[in-house]
Amino acid sequence: MLLIPAIDLKDGHCVRLKQGDMDQATIFSEEPAAMARHWVERGARRLHLVDLNGAFAGKPKNEDAIREIIREVGDQIPVQLGGGIRDLDTIERYLDDGLSYVIIGTAAVKNPGFLQEACTAFGGHIIVGLDAKDGKVATDGWSKLTGHAVADLALKFQDWGVESIIYTDIGRDGMLTGINVEATVALARSLAIPVIASGGLAGLADIEALCAMQDEGIQGVICGRAIYSGALDFTAAQRRADELAV
């Protein structure tokens, strides 16, 4: 089970939001590359970056900070990035910079042809992020709820060749109220590709609950506010996850 620290970027800073609200941003670091190094030194095996400004603008906005992070740790562990990725040129540029995985969210739902082209051109490097509330997919920085069921879209995207699915329960994100394990497991069971859990990680109990269901197809969990606030000791939690995998 991969525990994947999140580095959310807003105006070049490392922040955390509550339920995707840009007006409720807490700055955790002025130096994202140093934060990336911090998590690698504590045992992270993958990093999750989000260009928050990019997600709302529909185009990359924190490329300088992203490049600094990749230069700092990208040759040691895989780095994945989402937020504002809407065209093939952006994907190619990021992969050329050393990014391992590109996460396509809103564009996968609103422009499925683009996702198909991305999977064809950059096979093995495309992850889809599905953000949902009550089983329905949300887009545009969570501001719009669609009528699409998460499982239906995930199955379609699996057929197109995406590497994995990041499933976020947006009602829980940044709230420390606990991962929606039941919904995450249900999605993983319906797919042949891995699912990465996200949204609401509160503490070690969530890690243990996910590890118990790892064989259902859950590859990892994205760790945000819990590891920044101290509610979860990242190193100890990854060690515990490794113990449970034996």
Side-chain angles (χ1 to χ4, degrees):
M1 176 75 67
L2 286 173
L3 274 60
I4 309 172
I7 297 180
D8 290 0
L9 299 166
K10 180 177 184 281
D11 305 328
H13 303 144
C14 175
V15 307
R16 293 302 298 168
L17 306 185
K18 284 190 176 180
Q19 294 185 298
D21 186 348
M22 288 286 272
D23 293 327
Q24 293 195 62
T26 302
I27 296 177
F28 283 100
S29 174
E30 303 281 357
E31 300 180 24
M35 184 59 70
R37 167 62 54 195
H38 169 86
W39 294 124
V40 170
E41 289 175 349
R42 277 151 185 78
R45 297 167 196 160
R46 186 187 293 198
L47 288 181
H48 175 79
L49 311 184
V50 181
D51 182 346
L52 291 171
N53 302 102
F56 283 84
K59 58 184 178 181
K61 288 291 185 179
N62 283 282
E63 284 193 77
D64 288 345
I66 291 161
R67 287 195 185 97
E68 287 178 13
I69 290 170
I70 293 170
R71 282 196 295 268
E72 185 72 23
V73 302
D75 60 341
Q76 298 171 57
I77 63 169
V79 179
Q80 61 192 42
L81 166 73
I85 297 168
R86 304 283 195 271
D87 59 72
L88 297 179
D89 287 344
T90 298
I91 295 174
E92 185 172 24
R93 188 166 68 248
Y94 277 136
L95 293 178
D96 285 347
D97 285 341
L99 198 71
S100 297
Y101 302 103
V102 167
I103 303 161
I104 302 176
T106 291
V109 181
K110 300 178 81 170
N111 186 5
F114 161 59
L115 178 63
Q116 283 184 293
E117 291 175 352
C119 289
T120 299
F122 307 108
H125 297 282
I126 305 300
I127 295 173
V128 166
L130 290 178
D131 305 326
K133 186 174 184 179
D134 301 326
K136 300 297 184 182
V137 173
T139 62
D140 299 281
W142 304 353
S143 62
K144 298 178 182 177
L145 201 61
T146 73
H148 297 293
V150 172
D152 292 344
L153 282 182
L155 283 165
K156 181 190 296 184
F157 298 157
Q158 171 181 275
D159 291 343
W160 292 349
V162 302
E163 178 70 16
S164 57
I165 300 286
I166 297 173
Y167 174 69
T168 304
D169 184 325
I170 63 176
R172 302 190 183 209
D173 189 76
M175 303 302 288
L176 299 178
T177 53
I179 290 279
N180 189 337
V181 176
E182 183 178 357
T184 304
V185 171
L187 179 62
R189 282 175 173 162
S190 72
L191 300 172
I193 58 175
V195 171
I196 297 171
S198 175
L201 177 69
L204 195 57
D206 283 332
I207 303 297
E208 293 175 339
L210 288 169
C211 285
M213 307 304 290
Q214 187 170 357
D215 290 345
E216 301 290 351
I218 299 174
Q219 180 182 32
V221 56
I222 292 170
C223 308
R225 185 172 291 273
I227 58 173
Y228 288 97
S229 68
L232 181 72
D233 181 318
F234 178 83
T235 303
Q238 182 64 75
R239 189 184 305 121
R240 177 61 175 152
D242 292 344
E243 291 171 358
L244 292 171
V246 174

